[in-house]
Amino acid sequence: MNTYSSPQTLFEKIWNAHVVTQKGDEYLLYVDKHILHEGSTPLAFSGLRASGRRLLRPHTMIGVIDHTIPTRMRHLPPVDPQARAMMEAFHRDTSEYGVSIFDENDPRQGIVHVVGPEQGYSLPGTLIVCGDSHTSTNGAFGAYAFGIGTSEVEHVFATRTLWRKKPRNMLIRVTGEMPEGTSAKDLALLVINKVGIAGGTGYVIEFAGATVSGLTMEGRMTLCNMAIEAGARAGLIAPDETTFEFLRGRPLAPKEVEWDAAAKSWRALHTDDGARYDHIVDIDVSSLRPMVTWGTTPQDSVSIDGCVPDPSAEQDIARRASMQRALDYMGLRPGMPVSDIELDYVFIGSCTNGRLEDLRAAANVVRGRRISSGVTAIVVPGSGLVKSAAEAEGLDTLFLEAGFEWRSPGCSMCLAMNDDVLAPGQRCASTSNRNFEGRQGRDARTHLVSPATAAAAALTGRLAYPDPEQVE
Amino acid sequence: MKAFTVLRGIAAPLFKDNIDTDQICPKQHLTRLVRTGFDRALFSDRRFDAEGAERADFILNQEPWRKAVILLAGENFGCGSSREHAVWALVEFGVQCVIAPSFGDIFLQNSVNSGLLAVSLPFADVRKLASDALGAPGMEWTVDLPNQTIVTATGATLAFDIDPSRRARLIDGLDEIGLTLLHQSEIDAFEASQRNAAPWLWHPSHLN
């Protein structure tokens, strides 16, 4: 390919800049950034140790403890002996190999995809990997960022590279003004509903258009975070002034003359006029309403004004069967308004919606009100810095006075790998990213929503429209 | 990694779409610090009740399917989380081949790295295979990777396509890291050039 004359997409530019060598249709790509967490790395370290290989460039990696960490009583070690052993293994491995981490006692500890951006580690134009599928979050900075399994974590440890076939490139162009009461989470759920949970398989999705440019970095991260829920390992957004403003002065962002040089190179990271995509989807958000999921995949969603769909109206036999199975699992009746769905639990947090903007959005709905008596509601900030910033604004008091629990940072109930687990049959409005069967606990039922909708749900005890004026 | 050539054994139908890695290997098994012992993790929330007893209604608890080495599944098998433990759980249980209309991207990559053959066939073909499996339970199938064929218990033969590099890696069972390190001089050259062009990517990311 003649890279001088052919117009390129944002993704192609980043891809081309990372090709080390090529073998047939497989490319060896250089990995700039590797973020570790205790949940997926101990076995990669054991593999490395067993093979006697070196960890390359440990000083350019960072690590956090987030997946198994308790969100209560943080001064004590986790009760679960396996979780404790996992944290100890992570301490031992990162210390032995010289990787700098934010451990459970560090005020900057938090969820891996919140901490990377917060520290200025996630930079435009870079190739970022992590043993977690929501690494796509970092694509919000105009990076090619994707999750990998344990074998590939070890491969990056030992070679700093990965073999890849070139993915296809999808453009999702979003236009229209985001209506009151909606947020990037509602947009993400709409995108997945339109594209389907496997619609992005084999693609890297670029999100563009005036609506996307108008999103804050937090909103862009929410959108890219959920690209994987549409099947795409990576989502990305061209960096712009919003991106640069966010990054400037962050601890690990380039400084002084290097900042100027970096920013200059980052300004070239946009899709050229005339560049071709393999697939284009147009979405208008002018009539977007808060979205909620009713089923067991993130594509099973309707607006808050909608009803649980009726499988018998579905033409496709396989789809009808899977809808019926989802309704049985979720304990819902076809045709019932989703606003009649009563809840036991509300979870506000995760790498999707655990940043300061998310907590503010929830707080705006809650302000001065009390949660419903039958509901347990927890707020789990995405990082220690998010937590302290929220406390500086008084959000902890606001949530506590409303009846929420104010927890310490971690992945928590998004995947329930620590002790924040739903009991069988419990129903939760959750700001996380997956409503899979058993995700938040065995036989637990998850409804994915935005932070504002989760807050409204906590106040009313059912799925509700998050208008601060209308919440009863 | 064990080389994959010809696989013979029973095929179990679990013909449901979007079987995600949370179902294949629920999170309570992810804290294991060794790469073995995942056989009971496979579909554990559906295979076992809360007390750990087998649930008779789950196909992999029934004869002859509990000895399955091939799984026939619906669209988008292995979507969701990047946990490679999902592949390990399948392989340790005995399933070395999954046949489905489509797979999650990360699962597909993980499958090659842990020696599991993922075969994509058109939806109608997988549905037909699933009904063949139900129709002749306990009969042996053959999956021949070098020749890219599936022979069912009834003798029906189906050819399948597979990406040549994935096929070669499974058949050779080679250590990919070792192969990549043969490209060390190219990696060095890339690094030298990047270090010059973007020195900020080379500073230590000390967190203190």
Side-chain angles (χ1 to χ4, degrees):
Chain A
M1 189 177 79
N2 185 341
T3 51
Y4 296 100
S5 62
S6 18
Q8 299 175 79
T9 65
L10 166 64
F11 169 63
E12 286 172 322
K13 288 180 182 179
I14 302 175
W15 174 274
N16 290 337
H18 287 87
V19 174
V20 172
T21 188
Q22 189 180 349
K23 197 171 64 186
D25 60 352
E26 297 240 313
Y27 296 79
L28 188 64
L29 300 181
Y30 194 77
V31 174
D32 303 315
K33 305 269 179 182
H34 190 181
I35 319 184
L36 310 182
H37 65 83
E38 89 288 10
S40 66
T41 41
L43 293 176
F45 275 116
S46 340
L48 192 72
R49 195 175 285 119
S51 68
R53 294 191 174 108
R54 280 191 313 131
L55 174 65
L56 302 180
R57 301 185 63 199
H59 299 300
T60 58
M61 297 174 178
I62 63 172
V64 299
I65 289 179
D66 60 358
H67 276 60
T68 54
I69 196 167
T71 60
R72 286 173 291 194
M73 295 183 285
R74 273 288 259 280
H75 56 290
L76 300 174
V79 180
D80 175 7
Q82 287 208 171
R84 202 159 61 221
M86 187 160 239
M87 282 168 59
E88 283 163 7
F90 190 66
H91 272 282
R92 186 197 61 222
D93 293 337
T94 50
S95 150
E96 178 186 332
Y97 284 95
V99 177
S100 191
I101 67 165
F102 289 152
D103 68 14
E104 61 274 28
N105 300 313
D106 196 298
R108 299 161 296 179
Q109 172 273 341
I111 307 172
V112 65
H113 315 304
V114 175
V115 170
E118 197 168 68
Q119 292 299 318
Y121 182 75
S122 312
L123 296 177
T126 57
L127 195 157
I128 305 175
V129 300
C130 168
D132 189 282
S133 61
H134 291 106
T135 306
S136 59
T137 313
N138 299 282
F141 292 84
Y144 178 31
F146 53 87
I148 54 179
T150 307
S151 297
E152 291 204 320
V153 169
E154 188 185 332
H155 192 277
V156 176
F157 278 174
T159 71
R160 203 68 192 204
T161 61
L162 283 174
W163 289 99
R164 280 290 176 280
K165 279 183 200 312
K166 194 171 178 185
R168 286 170 291 178
N169 200 183
M170 184 189 300
L171 172 66
I172 297 186
R173 213 160 27 194
V174 190
T175 50
E177 197 176 328
M178 294 280 288
E180 191 81 20
T182 64
S183 69
K185 179 62 164 289
D186 302 299
L187 170 57
L189 288 171
L190 178 69
V191 165
I192 298 158
N193 184 275
K194 293 224 183 276
V195 174
I197 57 164
T201 304
Y203 286 93
V204 164
I205 298 177
E206 179 182 344
F207 297 100
T211 312
V212 173
S213 306
L215 292 175
T216 60
M217 284 317 295
E218 285 89 338
R220 295 179 190 186
M221 284 188 254
T222 302
L223 188 56
C224 290
N225 173 275
M226 292 194 71
I228 182 65
E229 308 314 331
R233 278 178 97 156
L236 75 177
I237 295 171
D240 59 10
E241 293 308 320
T242 305
T243 322
F244 307 148
E245 262 331 291
F246 181 97
L247 286 173
R248 197 191 300 273
R250 301 242 165 210
L252 299 177
K255 307 276 183 316
E256 299 164 3
V257 290
E258 285 198 344
W259 169 267
D260 296 337
K264 184 163 176 270
S265 71
W266 296 341
R267 281 177 216 284
L269 293 171
H270 54 78
T271 294
D272 297 328
D273 287 342
R276 288 194 58 255
Y277 292 90
D278 300 293
H279 189 58
I280 297 178
V281 177
D282 279 297
I283 291 180
D284 179 1
V285 295
S286 311
S287 55
L288 178 66
R289 296 277 292 163
M291 301 287 286
V292 303
T293 61
W294 52 264
T296 52
T297 76
Q299 75 183 2
D300 301 335
S301 60
V302 289
S303 85
I304 189 68
D305 328 283
C307 294
V308 173
D310 186 351
S312 67
E314 175 61 48
Q315 301 294 315
D316 182 80
I317 299 169
R319 177 72 188 136
R320 194 187 309 158
S322 70
M323 283 171 74
Q324 189 55 56
R325 189 186 151 83
L327 292 191
D328 292 345
Y329 180 86
M330 293 296 290
L332 298 174
R333 279 179 293 108
M336 72 185 286
V338 289
S339 56
D340 283 353
I341 296 173
E342 294 185 0
L343 302 159
D344 306 298
Y345 221 103
V346 171
F347 168 59
I348 298 177
S350 85
C351 58
T352 312
N353 281 131
R355 288 169 284 268
L356 185 59
E357 178 180 291
D358 302 313
L359 305 193
R360 284 178 182 154
N364 282 340
V365 174
V366 170
R367 201 173 303 279
R369 299 181 177 85
R370 289 277 313 168
I371 65 169
S372 175
S373 56
V375 171
T376 304
I378 66 172
V379 182
V380 184
S383 73
L385 295 184
V386 168
K387 187 179 189 211
S388 54
E391 287 171 352
E393 295 179 12
L395 301 191
D396 55 333
T397 313
L398 182 152
F399 282 118
L400 286 165
E401 284 177 353
F404 284 84
E405 294 175 31
W406 179 250
R407 301 284 188 88
S408 292
C411 298
S412 181
M413 197 171 269
C414 173
L415 84 166
M417 213 173 140
N418 68 351
D419 55 337
D420 299 329
V421 185
L422 292 177
Q426 274 193 322
R427 189 183 294 284
C428 179
S430 178
T431 67
S432 54
N433 39 57
R434 288 188 176 133
N435 51 345
F436 295 161
E437 286 182 21
R439 173 85 175 174
Q440 296 190 297
R442 188 185 186 115
D443 296 326
R445 294 154 172 168
T446 304
H447 296 275
L448 301 178
V449 293
S450 74
T453 305
L459 299 179
T460 60
R462 38 191 183 76
L463 294 174
Y465 179 74
D467 183 342
E469 307 303 316
Q470 287 180 9
V471 174
E472 297 146 37
Chain B
M1 193 173 82
K2 213 173 109 196
F4 191 114
T5 49
V6 178
L7 175 67
R8 287 193 182 84
I10 290 163
L14 197 63
F15 197 55
K16 186 169 108 60
D17 290 345
N18 304 317
I19 297 177
D20 55 72
T21 54
D22 273 85
Q23 291 176 55
I24 301 169
C25 183
K27 70 264 182 175
Q28 59 269 29
H29 309 288
L30 303 184
T31 48
R32 287 191 67 78
L33 290 173
V34 284
R35 220 168 144 151
T36 52
F38 290 95
D39 49 338
R40 271 184 72 88
L42 182 69
F43 295 115
S44 66
D45 283 357
R46 293 175 60 199
R47 255 169 84 205
F48 306 107
D49 65 20
E51 281 72 47
E54 282 190 1
R55 280 155 60 153
D57 64 346
F58 190 66
I59 190 158
L60 296 181
N61 288 334
Q62 300 161 5
E63 293 293 349
W65 318 110
R66 58 193 313 138
K67 292 196 277 292
V69 300
I70 300 161
L71 200 63
L72 299 154
E75 298 273 6
N76 201 25
F77 185 86
C79 60
S81 155
S82 57
R83 60 190 74 167
E84 197 162 323
H85 311 63
V87 181
W88 305 336
L90 285 160
V91 171
E92 275 204 63
F93 176 84
V95 172
Q96 294 170 61
C97 171
V98 180
I99 304 172
S102 59
F103 293 89
D105 262 358
I106 306 181
F107 179 88
L108 194 60
Q109 202 109 36
N110 289 342
S111 69
V112 197
N113 291 330
S114 286
L116 179 126
L117 171 64
V119 175
S120 303
L121 285 174
F123 183 87
D125 288 348
V126 184
R127 187 165 56 190
K128 174 75 173 51
L129 289 175
S131 77
D132 285 1
L134 279 174
M139 302 286 282
E140 206 165 77
W141 292 28
T142 303
V143 176
D144 183 333
L145 178 57
N147 291 305
Q148 297 179 217
T149 55
I150 297 163
V151 183
T152 72
T154 59
T157 302
L158 250 98
F160 62 87
D161 282 331
I162 182 167
D163 174 69
S165 57
R166 199 148 58 80
R167 175 178 176 274
R169 283 204 46 213
L170 285 165
I171 290 175
D172 296 340
L174 292 175
D175 166 26
E176 191 175 36
I177 294 176
L179 292 178
T180 301
L181 289 172
L182 298 175
H183 295 276
Q184 191 60 54
S185 61
E186 287 148 292
I187 298 172
D188 291 344
F190 181 95
E191 289 188 333
S193 148
Q194 190 195 59
R195 202 167 185 153
N196 187 42
W200 56 88
L201 297 178
W202 286 76
H203 299 322
S205 43
H206 282 314
L207 299 176
N208 303 317

